[in-house]
C-alpha cells in the first residue's frame, strides 16, 4: 500500500495542473504568470497545464493582496481543490500585502486565509522566479509528508 | 485649474446637466473630496472636442443629492462609488448598490471621510459612530 | 419563457482578473447584465494620506501593472502643472517612447487574450511570443519588465545612450515584421470574423452618450484620443487617431491592431527627433503642490483622468483616479443584452477590461 502511494505521488509531480487566481493584484504578477505559459518560457514542457476548474487543479497560483470580498472566493477555491494541493503565493502583495498593506480594504497576504507552501518574492517576480517557485512546489507534491507547516522561499 | 468651473446648487444640478447633454457634452466622471466635517465637494467633469468643463457642487453630507444617472447612464458606477466612499446618498439612482459596490459588511464604512467614520445610516447619535470606529480592524491605521 | 440568472466569474478561465457579472438569461439569450465589483478593491486613493507626493508615484504605478508607465506619467504631469515645473525636452520624448512601448505590450497582451477568448490558442501564443520582445526592450532600457518606474516629478529616471537607442530601433523593426505576418490571420481569418463581426455592437451615438473611451469609442467612429491634446511630446509628432466605424468586436479588434502599428511608428518618430540634454529638472526648493488640477492622458484602454488636490503639505488632499475600464463598463452593460451566453467572453474582453484599474 505504501509503495502504491509513493508511486502515485511521483506520477503527480510529472504533470501538475495549475489554477491561477488573482486576488487583488495590480496585474503585474498575473501577466508574468501568463507569460510563463507562452512560448518564450513555456512551462507546458514540464507537463504543466493551466486549468480553469479548481476540481482539476493540483497547484494554486495566487497573486495579490487579500481583501474583504475576495477572501471568501479564495477560501472557496482552496477547499474545492482535491488534496494533496500546493499553494504558491506570488509577488510582494501576496506575501505580506506589499505596497498596499496600509490600505483600508486590505486584509494582508495570502497566508492570512489559506496555508501557503511556497513564497515567490518580487514586484513582480520574473517568470524565471515563478517557474522556480512552481518547481519547488512540485517537490512538495512528491513528498507531501514533509509539508507539516514548513515553508521555503523560492 | 486651467478649465472653467461653474458652481451649481443641488436643485439646479439635474437641469444644468441635461442642458450640457443637449449641447453635446460627454460625461467624464465625478470627483468627490471631503471639505470639512459636514461638507463634501463634488466636481462633475464634462468633455466636448477634447475641452473640459467642470460643475462644482458643495453638498452637505446629511442631505441627499439628486442623481444624474437618469440623464447620463454612465454616472451610475461613480455615484455608487461615492455612496461607498463618502456615505452620501444619491436620490434616483438607476441601479443602487446601497454602499456595497466595493465594500463588504466587515470593511470600513465610508473610508474616505477623514473627519468621521459615520455612514449615512449610522448617523443617529454619537454612540453608533463610536461603534463604527472601534469595531473596525483597520480603523487605527487612519 | 422562464428567466434564469447565471453568474459569470469571479473565477473564469477567460478572465485573468475577478469580475462578477450577474447575467439574466432567457433560454440562451441575455436580457440583462449587472456587474458586481469589489474583488480587487484595495483603496489606493486613500494611501495619499500617509505617503508623500513623491512616494505616491510608486503607489499609482501599481494601480495597474499593465499600464504603469502611463499612470505615473499622468500623475507626474498633474503635479508638475501645480508646482510649475518645466520638463526638459529629452524627457518629454523619452516619456512618449516608454508610453508607446507600454501601449504595444498592452495591446499585444489583449490581442492574445482576445484570440484565446474565441478559442484560437495558437494565435494567443504567437502574440505573446512577439510581446516578449517588448518586455526585453523595457528590461534593457529601464531595468524592469513590467513595473518600469521611470517617471519622476520633473522628468524621467533613466537616460538611454545612443547605442541602446539604435538597438531599440532594430528590435521594433523585428516586432513590426512579425506583426505584419500575423495581421492576415487576426483581421482576415474566416473563424475570427465569424466570432467577432456583428457582436457587441455599439452605435456612435450610444458610445458617446455612455461615456465610452479609447478603442471602444474609436471603434464606433468617434475620433477622440487624449493624445490629440498634445501632452508630453505628442503635439510635435503629428499624431492621428485610429478610427473604425462598425462599432462591433471586430472593429475594436482592428482599432487595437492598427494602433499597435501606429505606436511603432510613433516610437520611430520620437527617436528620430530625440533631442539631447538633461532628462530631469531639479525640484528641490520648490514648495509642495498647492492647488488642484485635472490631467488627462491616453492609456492603452482609453482616456485616463487624474484629479489632484494639494494644500501645500507633503501629502496630497485628494488623488482621484478615473480609469478607462471604469468608463467602459456602462457600455458593456448595453452591449451584452441580446447575445448568446457563448458570446459573453468575447464581448466582455472586447472592452479590454482591467479590473484592478477599475476598482483601484
Amino acid at each position: 500500500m505504501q509503495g502504491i502511494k509513493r508511486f502515485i505521488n511521483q506520477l503527480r509531480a510529472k504533470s501538475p495542473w495549475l489554477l491561477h487566481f488573482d486576488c487583488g493584484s495590480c496585474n503585474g504578477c498575473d501577466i508574468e504568470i501568463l507569460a510563463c505559459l507562452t512560448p518564450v518560457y513555456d512551462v507546458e514542457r514540464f507537463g504543466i497545464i493551466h486549468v480553469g476548474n479548481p476540481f482539476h487543479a493540483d497547484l494554486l497560483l495566487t497573486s495579490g493582496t487579500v481583501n474583504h470580498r475576495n477572501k471568501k472566493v479564495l477560501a472557496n477555491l482552496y477547499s474545492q481543490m482535491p488534496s494533496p494541493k500546493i499553494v504558491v503565493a506570488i509577488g510582494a502583495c501576496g506575501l505580506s500585502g506589499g505596497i498596499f498593506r496600509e490600505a483600508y480594504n486590505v486584509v494582508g497576504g495570502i497566508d492570512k486565509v489559506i496555508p501557503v507552501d511556497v513564497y515567490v518574492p518580487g514586484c513582480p517576480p520574473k517568470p524565471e522566479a515563478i517557474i522556480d517557485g512552481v518547481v519547488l512546489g512540485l517537490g512538495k507534491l512528491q513528498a507531501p509528508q514533509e509539508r507539516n507547516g514548513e515553508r521555503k522561499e523560492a | 485649474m486651467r478649465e472653467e468651473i461653474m458652481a451649481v446648487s443641488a436643485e439646479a444640478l439635474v437641469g444644468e446637466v441635461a442642458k450640457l447633454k443637449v449641447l453635446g457634452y460627454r460625461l467624464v466622471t465625478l470627483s468627490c473630496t471631503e471639505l470639512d466635517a459636514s461638507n463634501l465637494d463634488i466636481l462633475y467633469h464634462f468633455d466636448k472636442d477634447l475641452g473640459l468643463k467642470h460643475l462644482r457642487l458643495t453638498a452637505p453630507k446629511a442631505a441627499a443629492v439628486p442623481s444624474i444617472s437618469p440623464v447620463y447612464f454612465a454616472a451610475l458606477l461613480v455615484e455608487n462609488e461615492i455612496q461607498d466612499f463618502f456615505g452620501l446618498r444619491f436620490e434616483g439612482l438607476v441601479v443602487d448598490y446601497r454602499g456595497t459596490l466595493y465594500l463588504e459588511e466587515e470593511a470600513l464604512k465610508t473610508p474616505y471621510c477623514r473627519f468621521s467614520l459615520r455612514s449615512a445610516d449610522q448617523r443617529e447619535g454619537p454612540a453608533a459612530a463610536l461603534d463604527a470606529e472601534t469595531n473596525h480592524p483597520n480603523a487605527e491605521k487612519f | 419563457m422562464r428567466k434564469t440568472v447565471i453568474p459569470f466569474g469571479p473565477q473564469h478561465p477567460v478572465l485573468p482578473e475577478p469580475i462578477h457579472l450577474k447575467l439574466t438569461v432567457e433560454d440562451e439569450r441575455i436580457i440583462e447584465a449587472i456587474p458586481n465589483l469589489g474583488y480587487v478593491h484595495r483603496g489606493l486613493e486613500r494611501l495619499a494620506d500617509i505617503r508623500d507626493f513623491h512616494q505616491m508615484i510608486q503607489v499609482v504605478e501599481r494601480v495597474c501593472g499593465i499600464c504603469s508607465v502611463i499612470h505615473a506619467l499622468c500623475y507626474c504631469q498633474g503635479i508638475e502643472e501645480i508646482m510649475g515645473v518645466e520638463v526638459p525636452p529629452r524627457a518629454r520624448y523619452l516619456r512618449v517612447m516608454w508610453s508607446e512601448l507600454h501601449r504595444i505590450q498592452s495591446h499585444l497582451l489583449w490581442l492574445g487574450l482576445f484570440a484565446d477568448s474565441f478559442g484560437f490558442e495558437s494565435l494567443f501564443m504567437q502574440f505573446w511570443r512577439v510581446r516578449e520582445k517588448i518586455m526585453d526592450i523595457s528590461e534593457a532600457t529601464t531595468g524592469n519588465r513590467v513595473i518600469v518606474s521611470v517617471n519622476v516629478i520633473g522628468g524621467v529616471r533613466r537616460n538611454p545612450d545612443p547605442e541602446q537607442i539604435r538597438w531599440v530601433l532594430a528590435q521594433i523593426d523585428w516586432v513590426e515584421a512579425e506583426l505584419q505576418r500575423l495581421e492576415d490571420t487576426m483581421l482576415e481569418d474566416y473563424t475570427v470574423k465569424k466570432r467577432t463581426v456583428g457582436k457587441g455592437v455599439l452605435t456612435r451615438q450610444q458610445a458617446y452618450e455612455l461615456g465610452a473611451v479609447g478603442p471602444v469609442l474609436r471603434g464606433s467612429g468617434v475620433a477622440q484620443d487624449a493624445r490629440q491634446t498634445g501632452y508630453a511630446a505628442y503635439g510635435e509628432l503629428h499624431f492621428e487617431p485610429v478610427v473604425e466605424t462598425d462599432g462591433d468586436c471586430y472593429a475594436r479588434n482592428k482599432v487595437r491592431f492598427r494602433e499597435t502599428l501606429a505606436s511603432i511608428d510613433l516610437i520611430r518618430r520620437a527617436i528620430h527627433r530625440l533631442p539631447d540634454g538633461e532628462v530631469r529638472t531639479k525640484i528641490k526648493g520648490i514648495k509642495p503642490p498647492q492647488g488642484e488640477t485635472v490631467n488627462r492622458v491616453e492609456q492603452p484602454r482609453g482616456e485616463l483622468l487624474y484629479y489632484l488636490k494639494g494644500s501645500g503639505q507633503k501629502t496630497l488632499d485628494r488623488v482621484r483616479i478615473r480609469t478607462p475600464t471604469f468608463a467602459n463598463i456602462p457600455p458593456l452593460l448595453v452591449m451584452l443584452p441580446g447575445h448568446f451566453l457563448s458570446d459573453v467572453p468575447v464581448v466582455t474582453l472586447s472592452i479590454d477590461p482591467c479590473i484592478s484599474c477599475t476598482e483601484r
Side-chain angles (χ1 to χ4, degrees), chain A residues 133-154:
Chain A
V134 169
V135 170
L136 212 89
L138 293 188
K140 296 191 174 193
L141 256 190
Q142 260 176 327
Q145 61 273 25
E146 286 169 25
R147 281 185 60 196
N148 303 329
E150 150 226 37
R151 276 148 194 198
K152 265 188 199 159
E153 281 208 0

Side-chain angles (χ1 to χ4, degrees), chain A residues 2-151:
Chain A
Q2 203 61 36
I4 295 173
K5 254 188 182 159
R6 204 180 308 128
F7 179 64
I8 290 176
N9 278 337
Q10 274 175 358
L11 289 188
R12 198 170 270 132
K14 292 290 178 198
S15 177
W17 287 12
L18 64 87
L19 173 75
H20 165 222
F21 182 64
D22 163 17
C23 262
S25 115
C26 71
N27 273 338
C29 298
D30 308 318
I31 55 179
E32 293 294 63
I33 292 169
L34 272 177
C36 292
L37 303 165
T38 53
V40 176
Y41 298 97
D42 194 18
V43 290
E44 284 195 17
R45 66 199 150 129
F46 303 123
I48 297 174
I49 295 174
H50 180 222
V51 290
N53 189 340
F55 292 103
H56 298 163
D58 303 306
L59 277 157
L60 175 63
L61 261 64
T62 45
S63 52
T65 58
V66 178
N67 71 18
H68 290 291
R69 188 163 284 181
N70 69 27
K71 68 183 179 196
K72 293 157 203 160
V73 183
L74 182 64
N76 218 347
L77 285 173
Y78 182 75
S79 67
Q80 284 171 345
M81 283 169 61
S83 52
K85 45 196 166 189
I86 296 287
V87 179
V88 184
I90 288 163
C93 313
L95 268 55
S96 64
I99 195 165
F100 312 130
R101 66 193 177 277
E102 287 132 332
Y104 59 84
N105 204 28
V106 167
V107 178
I110 305 288
D111 53 7
K112 290 267 166 71
V113 181
I114 55 171
V116 175
D117 299 282
V118 183
Y119 293 83
V120 183
C123 186
K126 292 185 71 171
E128 291 93 333
I130 296 174
I131 295 172
D132 228 31
V134 169
V135 170
L136 212 89
L138 293 188
K140 296 191 174 193
L141 256 190
Q142 260 176 327
Q145 61 273 25
E146 286 169 25
R147 281 185 60 196
N148 303 329
E150 150 226 37
R151 276 148 194 198

Side-chain angles (χ1 to χ4, degrees), chain C residues 84-204:
Chain C
V85 176
E86 193 71 34
V87 182
R90 187 174 172 88
R92 289 192 286 118
Y93 276 84
L94 286 173
R95 279 178 170 181
V96 169
M97 184 184 96
W98 277 309
S99 301
E100 292 307 316
L101 278 174
H102 244 68
R103 192 180 319 277
I104 298 174
Q105 71 97 353
S106 172
H107 277 347
L108 288 175
L109 176 141
W110 178 85
L111 287 163
L113 286 178
F114 190 58
D116 195 42
S117 78
F118 49 78
F120 205 148
E121 202 168 326
S122 62
L123 202 54
F124 163 64
M125 293 291 180
Q126 290 294 336
F127 278 115
W128 279 64
R129 179 177 61 84
V130 179
R131 179 178 168 273
E132 280 299 321
K133 191 58 95 185
I134 305 289
M135 307 307 273
D136 287 348
I137 301 177
S138 289
E139 197 173 7
T141 51
T142 68
N144 267 328
R145 278 165 56 89
V146 178
I147 298 191
V148 298
S149 206
V150 284
N151 285 300
V152 283
I153 295 162
V156 290
R157 221 187 274 274
R158 307 245 173 191
N159 190 2
D161 53 39
E163 198 185 327
Q164 230 171 11
I165 294 282
R166 272 197 298 280
W167 178 80
V168 171
L169 277 178
Q171 300 305 310
I172 59 170
D173 283 347
W174 180 88
V175 171
E176 192 177 29
E178 288 290 320
L179 280 179
Q180 274 156 358
R181 275 179 51 202
L182 294 173
E183 186 172 1
D184 205 34
T185 321
M186 193 64 186
L187 299 183
E188 303 301 330
D189 194 86
Y190 168 77
T191 50
V192 176
K193 279 192 164 171
K194 193 91 186 154
R195 287 302 302 270
T196 55
V197 173
K199 299 278 155 61
V201 178
L202 201 64
T203 62
R204 188 192 155 95

